[in-house]
Amino acid sequence: MSIQFLGMIGHRLASEIIPASGPLFDKEYIARFARAHEDAGFDRILVGYWSDQPDGFLVTAHAAAHTSTLKFLLAHRPGFVSPTLAARKLASLDHLTDGRLAVHIISGGSDAEQRRDGDFLNKAERYARSNEFLTVLKQSLESAQPYDHQGPFYQVEQAFSAIKPLQKKLPIYFGGSSQEAIDVAARHADVFALWGEPLKGAEETVRNVRAAAARQGREINFNISFRPILGKTEKEAWERAEHIRATAEKQLNETGFAFGKAKPQSVGAQRLLAAANEGDRLDKVLWTGVAKLVQGGYNSTALVGTPEQVSDALLEYYRLGIHSVLIRGFDPLNDAVEYGRELIPLTREKVHALSAADKRSASV
């Protein structure tokens, strides 16, 4: 099986080491950023969701208008749009993008973040809502006839969407390390998304999610996220990592970054923070320097080394059954270009060679 590469785009230039600049909704940058990923050979790009940032549907539509083959993964939080309306919006956007859309359902790992948009459910209730949201969403996307639904969060009568996705099936991604998240993913997700844990933790998650999906009579694929830091030499790569840490710490302090003020609610964040507390360098090239700064608050672990070393590390996760990887840099646009030149083709070659070797072994 081949390996899929996902990137992530923003609506303006900004990162932990680059102060935000330009208009908040920078149309030129969105288009340029998307084209850079397409030219670099990425398969798909994630468009994120934040409670105070531009609408992801529109960011995706604009990026799609300036690309032709690149696919999109739109993050969406249940609770603010009815699943029947969300289905029509997603199906319409899939047509607009010529069948290049997938959706990443995010239940929300922070009470404070959710409340900014008026959602006061607790974490367990949010996952229960996500489960019901996906049930209704999939009915609208797939049902050829009107349907009724009565549940604790949603009630509809004779619901129907005349527009269906251009694709035969809209891919659904889902993430989260809690048991509630795994249970929802097992029922609904095509792809389970992990943050960049050490190999042992990733293997454990893959095993648990596969078992949960099997109990539902389903199979599931996996994606994992990293922030690769490349250098021509190992020494250069690690020097770059330390520079990124120092720059990020300075910028986060200047902006009053608040992740360190309380224990993260997200189990995924807690797992990343636990890994960071084990040490800066784990496995062979996994680096937790920035993950510790942000208290594991988002996908912030890095793979540090030469392209050869980082591609070897990705191959280890591939061997666990994780056949999709999201990579984004601390210098977002320039790193995407570098990944396309140095990392993506090399890793694809190694995966191809590994698959060919496995086929030869199976035929003996």
Side-chain angles (χ1 to χ4, degrees):
M1 186 174 182
S2 63
I3 188 169
Q4 298 288 303
F5 279 97
L6 280 68
M8 181 175 179
I9 67 167
H11 42 81
R12 66 172 169 178
L13 178 60
S15 80
E16 296 92 340
I17 64 170
I18 301 175
S21 63
L24 181 61
F25 192 93
D26 191 332
K27 294 186 293 183
E28 181 181 346
Y29 179 73
I30 293 168
R32 186 156 51 97
F33 204 3
R35 285 194 299 266
H37 280 86
E38 184 168 77
D39 293 344
F42 282 83
D43 297 284
R44 192 183 294 276
I45 52 174
L46 170 66
V47 178
Y49 185 107
W50 298 270
S51 62
D52 61 349
Q53 298 300 305
D55 177 60
F57 278 84
L58 297 181
V59 173
T60 300
H62 184 66
H66 291 84
T67 54
S68 57
T69 60
L70 184 68
K71 296 179 181 180
F72 298 87
L73 178 59
L74 173 64
H76 183 78
R77 286 185 188 170
F80 310 109
V81 176
S82 163
T84 54
L85 175 55
R88 300 197 302 276
K89 286 165 65 69
L90 290 166
S92 300
L93 187 57
D94 193 48
H95 280 263
L96 189 63
T97 63
D98 299 318
R100 292 184 278 155
L101 185 66
V103 62
H104 183 28
I105 300 298
I106 302 173
S107 299
S110 164
D111 289 347
E113 172 78 2
Q114 294 296 119
R115 288 170 181 173
R116 292 188 188 111
D117 270 334
D119 178 22
F120 285 81
L121 297 186
N122 64 37
K123 182 183 172 185
E125 291 169 332
R126 291 198 294 268
Y127 277 111
R129 179 178 61 193
S130 290
N131 181 61
E132 188 177 343
F133 177 92
L134 282 164
T135 297
V136 178
L137 179 81
K138 290 162 73 176
Q139 282 185 283
S140 283
L141 290 174
E142 299 168 8
S143 177
Q145 301 294 332
Y147 66 91
D148 296 339
H149 175 87
Q150 292 292 323
F153 298 99
Y154 302 106
Q155 302 85 40
V156 298
E157 294 182 359
Q158 293 297 286
F160 179 72
S161 175
I163 186 167
K164 307 297 185 188
L166 185 61
Q167 304 171 75
K168 187 174 182 180
K169 184 180 186 301
L170 188 74
I172 294 173
Y173 288 60
F174 198 89
S177 296
S178 66
Q179 190 57 52
E180 297 101 324
I182 291 173
D183 289 343
V184 176
R187 291 184 178 93
H188 297 289
D190 301 299
V191 181
F192 184 86
L194 304 82
W195 284 343
E197 297 188 30
L199 286 162
K200 182 180 179 181
E203 183 178 22
E204 176 190 34
T205 298
V206 168
R207 183 171 60 250
N208 290 342
V209 174
R210 274 184 175 156
R215 289 193 291 271
Q216 300 294 327
R218 304 181 68 247
E219 294 183 353
I220 195 166
N221 296 314
F222 296 88
N223 174 268
I224 194 165
S225 298
F226 292 108
R227 312 286 293 275
I229 300 171
L230 305 179
K232 293 179 181 177
T233 65
E234 183 177 359
K235 180 175 182 290
E236 179 184 301
W238 284 105
E239 288 175 348
R240 185 179 174 193
E242 290 302 332
H243 175 73
I244 287 170
R245 184 195 339 232
T247 306
E249 185 171 18
K250 181 176 182 294
Q251 180 166 301
L252 292 172
N253 286 334
E254 289 174 352
T255 58
F257 193 72
F259 269 126
K261 295 182 180 179
K263 183 179 179 180
Q265 291 178 290
S266 161
V267 174
Q270 292 169 19
R271 288 172 69 96
L272 281 195
L273 185 57
N277 287 334
E278 290 179 18
D280 275 4
R281 303 187 187 188
L282 304 173
D283 295 333
K284 295 178 181 177
V285 300
L286 184 68
W287 182 62
T288 64
V290 172
K292 190 163 188 177
L293 283 180
V294 301
Q295 297 290 285
Y298 51 84
N299 58 322
S300 46
T301 50
L303 298 175
V304 182
T306 65
E308 190 76 33
Q309 291 172 319
V310 172
S311 64
D312 283 344
L314 291 174
L315 207 63
E316 291 300 311
Y317 288 94
Y318 181 88
R319 288 189 174 100
L320 297 180
I322 303 172
H323 296 160
S324 173
V325 57
L326 189 154
I327 52 175
R328 65 185 182 104
F330 292 97
D331 184 357
L333 195 155
N334 291 327
D335 283 346
V337 172
E338 183 181 31
Y339 298 156
R341 184 177 62 246
E342 304 289 348
L343 183 60
I344 291 175
L346 178 60
T347 309
R348 290 195 197 281
E349 288 175 11
K350 291 183 178 182
V351 166
H352 178 74
L354 179 65
S355 299
D358 289 344
K359 288 179 182 178
R360 288 195 298 269
S361 298
S363 64
V364 173

